[in-house]
Amino acid sequence: MWSAFKWSTFLLAFLLFVPTCRADSRSGHVVGEVKITILSTMLVSTRDGVGEWGFSALVEADGHKILVDTGGSPETVLKNAAALRIDLSDVQDVLLTHNHSDHTSGLLTLRREMMKRNPNALSRVYVARGIFWSRPVNGREGNNMVAVKPEYEKTGGKFIELTEGEEIFPGAWLTGPITRTYPEKNWSDLGKVIAPTGITEDTIPEDMSLVLETVKGIVVVTGCGHAGVVNIVTQSTKHFPGEPVYGLVGGLHLYRQTDAQLDWTSDMLKSFKVENLLGAHCTGIEAVYHLRQRMGLSRKTALVGSVGAEFTLRDGIRPGELEK
Ligand SMILES: [Zn+2]
Ligand SMILES: [Zn+2]
């Protein structure tokens, strides 16, 4: 009798545990609340906000916060956060999606300003391998991060360099460098990068995105999407098979794509069950509406992102006045 009880208890515990357990999941936590606020992009529909060629967004997930990218001018995110009454001094973590200055220029300003209020503010920056590699352009250094690194470290801040995907707080994953499964070429100029193996074409190998595992599916936040949005979503969903992509937020670098390329991208994203698309920065205005139409999304679920626009698990996209 006792042994039957023990076995049935064991079996029950096993059955309860297994469905929540994934091979690569550490915490097993599924995020219940998400709020993403755009702090830098081209379009602005908030008073006193500043538009620019750049990207930044504050991501809040079950009480954790991470700033994804830091804008294109040193002051933009500082000004926009103030205009939106968002306090960044209680944010410790930053993700720099890649080296380009339209994503990294605000880091030093923000760290120096916020550490006056909290020494830990913006003191930990996640990056992927390749972000500090030299990019020579006409005999000078074309990668600002080479100079930013020592300056940032002087403030007591730390870079954490990833070579593969990692969970950084419960339910929040960084992709690490993205495998280029499909030949997407979502960048403007093909320069050169000095990798440890030699000089090669710069495909922005460090391009990395944030993935939240939530109760409604996964939410993917991209910077410029240079690795290709389909490659990014392919890698992101591999860890969470069968789950829909409830939200895709950020820059997708589709503004130069032909109609045929946009058709392909739309069809691929549709196959991943993308439910909400907040296309900011380099996504392109025409590209957002092309994707909306072909993916069967609506005025509520696919929009151009502006400074101050939000995405939440509860309400989906909360647009600014202008892009409604
Ligand atoms: Zn870029
Ligand atoms: Zn960019």
Side-chain angles (χ1 to χ4, degrees):
M1 183 66 183
W2 171 239
S3 123
F5 173 73
K6 265 202 305 193
W7 273 109
S8 59
T9 309
F10 173 76
L11 190 66
L12 183 67
F14 181 77
L15 288 173
L16 284 173
F17 177 69
V18 164
T20 61
C21 187
R22 289 198 174 83
D24 56 355
S25 175
R26 263 179 275 158
S27 73
H29 181 78
V30 178
V31 174
E33 271 185 43
V34 172
K35 183 177 174 190
I36 302 171
T37 311
I38 297 181
L39 295 175
S40 157
T41 188
M42 285 76 156
L43 186 67
V44 188
S45 52
T46 183
R47 267 177 211 282
D48 307 322
V50 181
E52 64 169 1
W53 186 284
F55 184 70
S56 175
L58 178 65
V59 177
E60 300 167 70
D62 282 353
H64 287 86
K65 296 183 180 184
I66 180 166
L67 183 67
V68 177
D69 289 335
T70 59
S73 302
E75 308 283 328
T76 302
V77 173
L78 199 61
K79 286 180 185 162
N80 285 342
L84 293 163
R85 293 186 167 73
I86 289 175
D87 182 9
L88 294 174
S89 70
D90 64 351
V91 182
Q92 182 174 12
D93 291 333
V94 181
L95 159 63
L96 290 183
T97 58
H98 64 298
N99 78 86
H100 291 161
S101 60
D102 55 331
H103 297 253
T104 57
S105 293
L107 179 67
L108 289 173
T109 311
L110 288 164
R111 165 73 178 146
R112 286 172 182 150
E113 273 308 307
M114 294 303 142
M115 68 188 287
K116 292 176 189 165
R117 281 186 256 162
N118 171 13
N120 286 331
L122 309 173
S123 62
R124 186 165 53 195
V125 179
Y126 292 96
V127 296
R129 185 170 179 264
I131 196 170
F132 300 118
W133 293 348
S134 176
R135 271 92 170 173
V137 181
N138 301 325
R140 59 170 194 85
E141 181 54 68
N143 179 359
N144 294 333
M145 287 306 293
V146 174
V148 165
K149 186 174 189 281
E151 287 301 307
Y152 178 72
E153 286 172 342
K154 257 189 242 169
T155 71
K158 241 182 21 182
F159 286 102
I160 297 175
E161 203 173 314
L162 304 186
T163 54
E164 56 182 20
E166 191 175 311
E167 185 179 28
I168 52 165
F169 58 80
W173 295 75
L174 294 179
T175 58
I178 301 285
T179 305
R180 312 295 168 98
T181 309
Y182 300 99
E184 295 175 282
K185 301 250 182 306
N186 296 355
W187 49 73
S188 299
D189 305 301
L190 207 56
K192 297 284 181 195
V193 58
I194 305 179
T197 49
I199 299 183
T200 57
E201 284 186 342
D202 186 7
T203 59
I204 310 110
E206 75 271 22
D207 190 42
M208 174 156 75
S209 296
L210 171 70
V211 183
L212 302 171
E213 187 188 14
T214 82
V215 291
K216 290 192 170 178
I218 65 166
V219 174
V220 182
V221 187
T222 62
C224 235
H226 290 304
V229 60
V230 176
N231 287 328
I232 292 167
V233 172
T234 299
Q235 187 152 321
S236 303
T237 51
K238 226 177 248 172
H239 296 282
F240 309 104
E243 290 200 28
V245 180
Y246 184 67
L248 180 55
V249 179
L252 307 183
H253 213 283
L254 297 173
Y255 69 99
R256 289 185 171 187
Q257 303 292 42
T258 63
D259 285 347
Q261 287 167 324
L262 290 172
D263 281 350
W264 177 81
T265 305
S266 306
D267 294 346
M268 292 299 285
L269 292 179
K270 195 173 177 184
S271 75
F272 286 109
K273 304 191 195 85
V274 174
E275 293 180 32
N276 291 280
L277 168 69
L278 187 56
H281 181 39
C282 53
T283 306
I285 292 165
E286 174 58 28
V288 170
Y289 296 120
H290 192 114
L291 264 57
R292 175 202 274 184
Q293 193 175 20
R294 186 143 175 129
M295 290 166 68
L297 297 176
S298 69
R299 193 170 170 172
K300 166 83 182 126
T301 55
L303 285 159
V304 175
S306 67
V307 171
E310 295 173 350
F311 172 80
T312 69
L313 271 194
R314 206 183 54 185
D315 301 335
I317 297 169
R318 292 180 188 159
E321 283 298 312
L322 191 61
E323 67 273 24
K324 266 181 187 169

